[in-house]
Amino acid sequence: MRDTTTVGDELTDTQTTGAPAASAPVTKGNGKKKKDREASLWSDAMRDLRRNPIFLIGTVLVLGMLIVSAVPQWFTDGSPFDATACTLQNSLKTPSADHWFGFDIQGCDVYTRTVWAARNSVIVGVVTTSLVIIVGGGLGLLAGWLGGIVDSVLSRFAEIFFALPLLLGGMLIMSALPGNAWTVSVVLATLGWPQIFRIMRSSVLQNKNNDYVMAARALGAGAWRITIRHILPNAIAPVIVVGAISLGVYISAEAALSYLGIGVQPPEISWGLMVSDASVRWLQAPHVLLFPAGALSITVLAFIMVGDAVRDALDPKLR
């Protein structure tokens, strides 16, 4: 039962004595408060991802490749950087029980080189994606939240880089720079951040006028608190999805640059560089090309699988 009391022009409801409060916490028999399970986009997404076999398989492959790239010495006894690692007498020998992937044209063990090559390829993917999300996401958040002249200047600045194709721009810039994984990462991030910028800016514009932001303003929350506590958690989902998928794309871009001879340079190794070396004799010894190309394809596919699964889990239209 409720009593309705009119005070001035305001209509208020007061609860009668003995009626349970609507907001009273539910208690168990032992007197402890039972916590209500709050539903949110992230909790629902995690629950869906745990049930998604594509995500689980992709995650296992990604974690495995990260471990291989971090500690390759756990998976092979030799090192491609040793002076005695290559012997011309073993040139183009086929796979055997002692050497699973055979030897390349220089007599180097293909398995050892494939394992160690994972480091540079994964470094390029992870570092490039991290830089792109930090730079593009930060500038997109700033442009979408502030708007006005800041938004206009940053948007025009991003369009300059967005007009440059990733591979063509990478070829042009890398031709004048030393070839290593860190340089390739910075170059690809310089050309790739506008995509994340536009996605973050659009997501912020969609969320900045929602009711929870208006409520936070009415309660006196400052611009910084609203941005970090309310805007960013709700706008970051599409950025995470695109970043996960783009990581595989950046690994492929590094392989393409290394294949063209302007990416990672010897004595460093990467899968793209191994594919480039194998392209001369791949008809005579297909195993030299098959294994590094297979490792590259599996890694790229794993990151794309994870990105697609995360996209499906975070897309409310698919629920």
Side-chain angles (χ1 to χ4, degrees), residues 188-251:
L188 293 178
T190 302
L191 298 172
W193 69 269
Q195 180 187 24
I196 298 296
F197 168 83
R198 297 178 70 174
I199 294 173
M200 175 61 86
R201 174 183 175 274
S202 176
S203 184
V204 171
L205 290 175
Q206 293 176 1
N207 287 277
K208 66 184 293 185
N209 293 321
N210 285 343
D211 292 340
Y212 58 85
V213 177
M214 300 299 181
R217 285 176 177 171
L219 293 174
W224 176 254
R225 180 180 177 84
I226 293 175
T227 303
I228 300 301
R229 296 291 301 274
H230 301 285
I231 296 293
L232 184 59
N234 290 280
I236 197 67
V239 173
I240 293 176
V241 172
V242 175
I245 297 176
S246 298
L247 200 152
V249 174
Y250 292 132
I251 293 178

Side-chain angles (χ1 to χ4, degrees):
M1 295 294 295
R2 291 181 178 271
D3 294 334
T4 302
T5 306
T6 304
V7 180
D9 295 332
E10 298 180 358
L11 185 65
T12 61
D13 291 338
T14 58
Q15 284 189 314
T16 58
T17 305
S23 58
V26 180
T27 58
K28 296 181 179 180
N30 56 7
K32 296 183 179 179
K33 295 181 180 179
K34 182 180 179 180
K35 295 183 179 179
D36 295 334
R37 184 177 181 180
E38 297 182 358
S40 67
L41 176 64
W42 295 101
S43 62
D44 292 343
M46 290 303 300
R47 186 165 57 253
D48 291 345
L49 289 175
R50 287 194 295 267
R51 301 173 181 173
N52 190 338
I54 294 178
F55 174 78
L56 297 178
I57 294 173
T59 301
V60 170
L61 292 174
V62 167
L63 291 177
M65 198 56 62
L66 291 176
I67 294 174
V68 170
S69 62
V71 282
Q73 60 271 18
W74 288 3
F75 302 90
T76 177
D77 295 331
S79 171
F81 306 109
D82 292 341
T84 59
C86 302
T87 304
L88 287 176
Q89 294 177 352
N90 296 326
S91 179
L92 299 181
K93 284 187 177 180
T94 56
S96 62
D98 295 330
H99 302 278
W100 297 347
F101 292 0
F103 295 87
D104 63 9
I105 192 172
Q106 299 295 331
C108 304
D109 186 73
V110 176
Y111 172 75
T112 301
R113 289 177 62 83
T114 301
V115 170
W116 280 84
R119 172 171 293 179
N120 281 326
S121 297
V122 172
I123 282 176
V124 170
V126 173
V127 173
T128 303
T129 303
S130 301
L131 291 175
V132 163
I133 291 178
I134 293 172
V135 176
L139 293 178
L141 180 64
L142 188 65
W145 177 249
L146 296 180
I149 186 64
V150 175
D151 184 17
S152 299
V153 172
L154 291 177
S155 297
R156 301 295 82 76
F157 182 68
E159 289 173 359
I160 297 174
F161 291 90
F162 199 78
L164 296 174
L166 184 66
L167 281 179
L168 182 60
M171 292 169 56
L172 179 63
I173 300 174
M174 283 302 302
S175 61
L177 296 175
N180 57 64
W182 303 102
T183 304
V184 174
S185 300
V186 173
V187 170
L188 293 178
T190 302
L191 298 172
W193 69 269
Q195 180 187 24
I196 298 296
F197 168 83
R198 297 178 70 174
I199 294 173
M200 175 61 86
R201 174 183 175 274
S202 176
S203 184
V204 171
L205 290 175
Q206 293 176 1
N207 287 277
K208 66 184 293 185
N209 293 321
N210 285 343
D211 292 340
Y212 58 85
V213 177
M214 300 299 181
R217 285 176 177 171
L219 293 174
W224 176 254
R225 180 180 177 84
I226 293 175
T227 303
I228 300 301
R229 296 291 301 274
H230 301 285
I231 296 293
L232 184 59
N234 290 280
I236 197 67
V239 173
I240 293 176
V241 172
V242 175
I245 297 176
S246 298
L247 200 152
V249 174
Y250 292 132
I251 293 178
S252 299
E254 178 277 326
L257 293 175
S258 298
Y259 179 84
L260 295 173
I262 54 177
V264 176
Q265 300 293 321
E268 296 293 328
I269 55 175
S270 73
W271 290 325
L273 197 59
M274 292 182 65
V275 170
S276 177
D277 295 338
S279 61
V280 180
R281 297 289 185 88
W282 72 273
L283 289 176
Q284 180 182 354
H287 66 275
V288 180
L289 175 66
L290 177 63
F291 293 110
L296 173 64
S297 301
I298 291 173
T299 303
V300 173
L301 178 62
F303 281 108
I304 292 177
M305 289 170 62
V306 172
D308 285 341
V310 173
R311 179 198 60 194
D312 295 342
L314 292 177
D315 191 350
K317 296 179 181 179
L318 299 178
R319 298 186 179 280

